[in-house]
């Protein structure tokens, strides 16, 4: 058991290290460097020299990678080019805002997804399933920015319940974000629900057809008890990893949703950093988001190890 | 001794494909999907000759026209005809993502089949690496690359193709592993066929239908990715019309001219949904269980 946990931890660390190498390697391998990208047309003469000197670009790539990754693992993400500030200071508040958005969406989305997924599975191929599955296909296939724009049109412009875009500063306390956070949260929750409920549905259909559920039925166990106590936990086992996998897509989605609502999170900062060609900042945020994803995957792995004894003995 | 050959005939007119088509014709949603998809492909291919107005022509006198018989989808804030713009607004997206899908499928399936065929420790370790690569959110890397080299069609095709190919490796490898222990592969090995021949002549035809479904799904996802990039302003360079970009541009005026957002959004969504419907129906028609697939 401990060996398995250590294995998962090692794999997570390996993934993070790979991400670090890739994030750095991509910048090195492609034409241009941090300074030429940032300065654009002005990339010549003393300005370029100064920038390169400041960024230690005259040092060999391996040495810079060592300094950079050592900093990253100690929690120092470097300095932004455009804003000339430590990246840690820039991202701190925005990470908090994004975390609030993501956690809020997960708290609404995951329980709803499980409930609807179970409902669709139990009423398979009948009206409730048609509506739920059909709706989830729509929510999955329509781009997030279209869903977001639609919600803005209905709830912010026609009904005027919520503000269309956020005008609160990133450093404002969370309580000030409350009316602004609702629409992005709902958008994110909708996309999240669609992915997860499809998984729960198909896994629940399998479990409801299995022998032990039949047995429980024959024994006369109450229906709701079969569904929620017997079937759901084992239906959730394969779903846990998929839930973690969808987060990879959602992290991309968060960036877009934040941009649509001008939400002061890490996604809008990343987009702005790209417009500014502020590569160190882009790299740092890519790393943070990848780390969040790796962490979610690790938690999902550990959770399924804890919940599923079969995984522990195998191998 | 009778030669043991692959159980699948690869000729397009073989009974197997005819059967699949027969099955597919029975699915209403699949047929609707296919019709919409074909419509989109036709619009992308010849839309520029069908457009009733010049899609870049700006006209200050006809800003924000509501949909009418002259301007079917109305006009935008620069007085450009939205029907013409929507008609050809998918061209770039479809071209770039189709090329990207092709690239992803070719490199992903070659790598997947090879890995499944090699097997053993090499396969196991390389799959670990593939898993690590899958753990990287795609959009972030695309954005990083765009920040560095700037946006261009070629960059997008290469990066989208590369990243989406990684997921293909897994699927194809899984499909290949099913066939490697079968008799016809063993027979080919015994006959002394080269590895290349075994992969292309024995394995590839068998995973072809799984590949086609996978390609359709990758295409739909890639379209989502591309339109998101284009919405963020990293896809198509204006004034070339593109749905994602049109939605981004017109979204500020949504309270005055909702149609300027509605029509490109409908076009984009209907394309992606039609791909999904077609792929689902096709998967069912060839007896593939799509419900089990993660996405």
């Amino acid at each position: 058991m401990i060996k398995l946990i250590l294995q998962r931890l090692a794999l997570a660390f390996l993934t993070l290290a790979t991400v670090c190498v890739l994030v750095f390697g991509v910048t090195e391998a492609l034409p241009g460097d941090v300074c030429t990208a940032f300065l654009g047309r002005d990339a010549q003469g003393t300005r370029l020299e100064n920038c390169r000197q400041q960024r230690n670009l005259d040092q060999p790539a391996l040495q810079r990678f060592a300094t950079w990754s050592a900093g990253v693992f100690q929690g120092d993400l470097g300095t932004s080019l455009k804003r000339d500030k430590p990246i840690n200071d820039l991202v701190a508040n925005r990470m908090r805002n994004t975390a609030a958005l993501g956690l809020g969406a997960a708290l609404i989305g995951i329980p709803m997804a499980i409930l609807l997924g179970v409902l669709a599975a139990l009423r398979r191929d009948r009206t409730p399933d048609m509506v739920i599955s059909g709706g989830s296909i729509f929510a999955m296939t329509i781009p997030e920015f279209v869903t977001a724009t639609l919600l803005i049109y209905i709830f912010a412009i026609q009904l005027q319940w919520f503000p269309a875009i956020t005008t609160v500063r990133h450093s404002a306390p969370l309580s000030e974000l409350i009316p602004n956070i609702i629409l992005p949260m709902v958008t994110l929750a909708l996309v999240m629900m669609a992915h997860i409920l499809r998984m729960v549905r198909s896994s629940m259909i399998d479990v409801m057809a299995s022998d032990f559920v039949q047995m429980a039925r024959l024994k006369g166990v109450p229906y709701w008890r079969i569904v929620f106590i017997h079937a759901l936990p084992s239906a959730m086992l394969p779903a846990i990893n998929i839930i973690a996998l969808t987060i990879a897509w959602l992290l991309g989605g968060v960036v877009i949703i934040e941009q649509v609502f001008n939400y002061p999170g890490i996604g809008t900062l990343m987009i702005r950093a790209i417009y500014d060609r502020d590569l160190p900042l882009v790299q740092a945020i890519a790393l943070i988001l990848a780390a969040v994803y790796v962490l979610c995957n690790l938690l999902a792995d550990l959770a399924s190890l804890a919940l599923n004894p079969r995984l522990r003995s195998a191998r | 001794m009778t030669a043991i050959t692959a159980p699948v005939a690869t000729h397009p007119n073989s009974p197997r494909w005819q059967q699949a088509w027969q099955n597919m014709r029975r699915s209403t949603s699949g047929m609707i999907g296919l019709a919409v998809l074909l419509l989109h492909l036709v619009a992308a291919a010849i839309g520029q000759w069908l457009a009733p107005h010049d899609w870049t022509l700006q006209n200050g006198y006809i800003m924000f026209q509501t949909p009418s018989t002259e301007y079917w989808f109305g006009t935008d804030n620069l007085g450009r005809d939205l029907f013409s713009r929507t008609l050809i607004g998918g061209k770039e997206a479809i071209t770039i993502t189709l090329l990207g899908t092709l690239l992803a499928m070719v490199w992903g399936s070659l790598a997947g089949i090879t890995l499944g065929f090699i097997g053993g420790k090499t396969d196991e370790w390389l799959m670990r690496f593939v898993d690590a690569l899958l753990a990287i959110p795609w959009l972030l890397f695309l954005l990083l690359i765009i920040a560095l080299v700037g946006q261009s069609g070629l960059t997008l095709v290469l990066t989208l193709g590369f990243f989406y190919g990684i997921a293909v490796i897994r699927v194809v490898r899984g499909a290949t592993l099913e066939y490697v222990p079968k008799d016809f592969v063993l027979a080919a090995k015994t006959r002394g066929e080269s590895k290349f021949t075994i992969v292309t002549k024995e394995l590839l035809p068998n995973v072809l239908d799984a590949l086609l479904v996978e390609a359709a799904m990758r295409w739909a996802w890639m379209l989502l990715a591309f339109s998101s990039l284009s919405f963020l302003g990293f896809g198509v360079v204006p004034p070339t019309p593109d749905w994602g970009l049109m939605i981004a541009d017109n979204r500020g005026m949504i309270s005055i001219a909702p149609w300027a957002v509605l029509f490109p959004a409908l076009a984009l969504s209907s394309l992606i949904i039609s791909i999904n419907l077609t792929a689902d129906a096709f998967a069912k028609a060839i007896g593939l269980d799509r419900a089990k697939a993660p996405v």
Side-chain angles (χ1 to χ4, degrees):
Chain A
M1 180 70 185
I2 291 179
K3 196 186 156 210
L4 277 172
I5 293 179
L6 285 179
Q7 226 173 34
R8 301 291 148 99
L9 281 175
L11 194 62
F13 183 78
L14 204 72
T15 311
L16 263 189
T18 315
V19 173
C20 265
V21 173
L22 282 178
V23 165
F24 190 86
V26 161
T27 326
E28 287 301 315
L30 292 174
D33 60 37
V34 171
C35 285
T36 51
F38 177 59
L39 294 171
R41 258 178 231 155
D42 300 327
Q44 48 193 333
T46 46
R47 283 191 70 176
L48 188 61
E49 289 293 306
N50 285 340
C51 172
R52 283 194 165 144
Q53 205 147 36
Q54 205 184 349
R55 290 271 148 188
N56 297 325
L57 284 187
D58 41 358
Q59 287 174 8
L62 265 180
Q63 194 180 336
R64 275 181 292 127
F65 178 66
T67 340
W68 179 74
S69 51
V72 167
F73 277 95
Q74 286 162 19
D76 174 18
L77 293 164
T79 21
S80 152
L81 266 175
K82 166 93 176 178
R83 292 167 179 78
D84 216 12
K85 273 189 205 160
I87 290 175
N88 289 23
D89 296 353
L90 286 171
V91 295
N93 279 320
R94 292 183 170 96
M95 260 176 81
R96 182 204 62 183
N97 297 344
T98 300
L101 176 63
L103 285 178
L107 282 179
I108 313 170
I110 294 177
M112 284 284 283
I114 293 174
L115 266 178
L116 289 175
V118 170
L119 184 65
L122 297 180
R123 296 275 175 277
R124 188 184 180 184
D125 292 335
R126 278 186 271 168
T127 320
D129 180 32
M130 298 290 195
V131 174
I132 295 171
S133 299
S136 76
I137 290 181
F138 266 89
M140 270 170 80
T141 46
I142 296 175
E144 292 101 343
F145 60 90
V146 173
T147 319
T149 313
L150 203 69
L151 288 178
I152 290 183
Y153 184 66
I154 298 171
F155 292 104
I157 290 169
Q158 294 296 325
L159 298 173
Q160 307 213 326
W161 288 357
F162 306 105
I165 56 161
T166 317
T167 45
V168 181
R169 279 181 53 79
H170 67 88
S171 50
L174 273 183
S175 54
E176 276 182 41
L177 276 170
I178 283 197
N180 299 292
I181 205 174
I182 308 277
L183 279 183
M185 208 184 261
V186 170
T187 316
L188 191 57
L190 275 179
V191 185
M192 199 185 272
M193 269 166 63
H195 283 91
I196 297 172
L197 89 80
R198 267 172 80 92
M199 190 59 215
V200 173
R201 175 182 174 274
S202 73
S203 151
M204 193 71 186
I205 286 174
D206 286 351
V207 174
M208 286 305 283
S210 67
D211 290 343
F212 76 90
V213 172
Q214 289 287 346
M215 179 71 185
R217 274 191 187 167
L218 292 175
K219 268 168 57 185
V221 180
Y223 191 60
W224 67 267
R225 216 184 136 79
I226 297 179
V227 171
F228 288 102
I229 311 285
H230 293 248
L232 185 58
S234 60
M236 283 310 291
L237 287 178
I240 289 176
N241 281 308
I242 300 300
I243 292 178
L245 253 180
T246 56
I247 292 175
W249 297 87
L250 293 177
L251 283 175
V254 169
V255 174
I256 292 156
I257 291 172
E258 283 187 0
Q259 178 72 11
V260 177
F261 290 99
N262 195 31
Y263 183 81
I266 206 162
T268 31
L269 183 66
M270 184 172 188
I271 302 295
R272 210 162 300 154
I274 294 169
Y275 287 139
D276 295 339
R277 311 251 149 190
D278 190 344
L279 272 177
L281 189 53
V282 180
Q283 285 177 326
I285 296 174
L287 258 186
I288 293 173
L289 290 177
V292 172
Y293 176 64
V294 170
L295 191 70
C296 288
N297 250 343
L298 180 67
L299 289 179
D301 271 351
L302 294 181
S304 45
L305 270 183
L307 293 175
N308 193 351
R310 272 168 295 187
L311 287 178
R312 279 177 243 158
S313 52
R315 286 188 208 187
Chain B
M1 186 191 140
T2 47
I4 305 170
T5 48
V8 175
T10 50
H11 196 265
N13 287 327
S14 78
R16 191 160 177 275
W17 290 98
Q18 269 175 17
Q19 183 61 46
W21 172 240
Q22 291 293 330
N23 290 343
M24 204 172 152
R25 275 175 58 180
R26 256 176 256 137
S27 151
T28 323
S29 62
M31 282 295 110
I32 296 174
L34 192 63
V36 176
L37 178 58
L38 289 177
L39 207 65
H40 270 296
L41 290 178
V42 169
I46 58 169
Q48 59 193 102
W49 292 287
L50 299 178
H53 295 275
D54 181 350
W55 53 89
T56 52
L57 186 73
Q58 305 181 1
N59 186 345
Y61 294 107
I62 52 163
M63 293 186 316
F64 299 125
Q65 297 269 311
T66 45
S68 61
T69 44
E70 174 69 16
Y71 301 103
W72 293 356
F73 290 179
T75 58
D76 66 6
N77 60 328
L78 299 172
R80 293 177 294 194
D81 176 39
L82 279 166
F83 177 71
S84 306
R85 290 179 68 74
T86 307
L87 189 66
I88 59 163
K91 196 183 167 193
E92 297 271 319
I94 289 175
T95 318
I96 288 178
T97 51
L98 268 183
L99 287 174
T101 309
L102 193 70
L103 178 66
M105 295 315 293
V106 168
W107 100 261
S109 51
L110 283 183
I113 292 180
T114 318
L115 277 182
F117 187 62
I118 294 173
K121 275 265 179 286
T122 329
D123 169 48
E124 202 174 298
W125 276 104
L126 282 173
M127 277 319 284
R128 286 274 163 81
F129 184 64
V130 167
D131 281 342
L133 285 180
L134 271 179
I136 299 163
W138 54 271
L139 185 78
L140 308 177
F141 260 81
L142 276 177
L143 291 177
L144 186 66
I145 291 169
I146 288 167
L148 194 65
V149 297
Q151 68 212 64
S152 78
L154 186 67
T155 316
L156 285 169
V157 169
L158 291 179
T159 43
L160 285 170
F162 176 74
F163 284 115
Y164 282 74
I166 298 170
V168 178
I169 297 181
R170 270 199 85 90
V171 178
V172 175
R173 173 182 167 272
T176 310
L177 282 180
E178 252 179 63
Y179 286 101
V180 164
K182 297 245 162 113
D183 286 343
F184 67 89
V185 177
L186 196 67
K189 272 186 192 161
T190 325
R191 282 202 300 272
E193 306 259 17
S194 73
K195 283 184 177 171
F196 182 77
T197 320
I198 296 178
V199 168
T200 52
K201 291 269 163 64
E202 306 284 342
L203 292 175
L204 198 59
N206 279 290
V207 296
L208 195 63
D209 43 13
L211 264 181
L212 265 175
V213 176
E214 179 63 19
M217 299 321 284
R218 288 299 129 206
W219 186 28
W221 285 115
M222 214 182 272
L223 267 168
L224 269 176
F226 178 85
S227 57
S228 302
L229 283 176
S230 151
F231 175 80
L232 294 173
F234 302 125
V236 174
V237 184
T240 310
D242 177 85
W243 298 327
L245 199 62
M246 285 164 76
I247 296 170
D249 286 346
N250 297 330
R251 149 181 104 84
M253 281 82 73
I254 195 172
S255 50
I256 319 168
W259 58 85
V261 174
L262 180 72
F263 289 113
L266 272 180
L268 175 58
S269 309
S270 68
L271 173 59
I272 298 177
I273 290 173
S274 72
I275 297 173
N276 276 287
L277 289 179
T278 314
D280 265 346
F282 179 69
K284 275 208 191 96
I286 57 170
L288 216 68
D289 192 2
R290 276 275 313 142
K292 292 250 166 53
V295 279

